[in-house]
Amino acid sequence: MQSKHLRFGKGFRPAFTVRKVQAAEMVLAPGACEGGPDNAHRGTDQWLFVVSGTGLAIVDGARRRLRAGSLLVIERGERHEIRNTGRTPLRTLNVYAPPAYDAEGEPLPAGRPPRASRKG
């Protein structure tokens, strides 16, 4: 079993990886965005759950409003951008299957597992 208390500080941080699934926390300041028209995960699906705040997801041109409790699935290869449209930080929990980032938050090549998992 692995366990970790997520702080949802600033930016993007992988929490830990277990076999073929990875969890990460992301915090976007008001007005900030992550991703863009050319951003896509070639080899992984991303499940994004909004913990708090409001925002906008643009996935392959389709727009979806985000708010606390929203769950969005971005399938592998879909171009996407996440924007904070509110006045408070947008805090999300992201699950990647298979893992998309190494322990420092750098993207992994498609189909490559991270070297070591982080235990909390």
Side-chain angles (χ1 to χ4, degrees), residues 32 34 43 45 47 49 63 76-77 84 112:
E34 183 66 39
D45 295 325
W47 294 61
F49 178 76
R63 295 172 174 261
R76 65 186 70 209
N84 182 342
R112 296 268 176 93

Side-chain angles (χ1 to χ4, degrees), residues 3 10 12-13 19-20 29 33-34 36 42 49 51 53 69 71 74 84 86 106 112 114 117-118:
S3 173
K10 293 180 181 177
F12 178 84
R13 274 196 318 264
R19 289 182 291 287
K20 296 181 181 182
C33 65
E34 183 66 39
R42 294 180 308 150
F49 178 76
V51 176
L71 178 62
I74 302 166
N84 182 342
E106 294 298 318
R112 296 268 176 93
S117 88
R118 293 176 112 183

Side-chain angles (χ1 to χ4, degrees), residues 72-92:
L72 176 71
V73 178
I74 302 166
E75 295 184 52
R76 65 186 70 209
E78 290 184 320
R79 296 176 321 245
H80 59 282
E81 179 178 355
I82 306 300
R83 297 179 185 171
N84 182 342
T85 59
R87 294 183 178 163
T88 61
L90 175 62
R91 294 179 170 92
T92 66

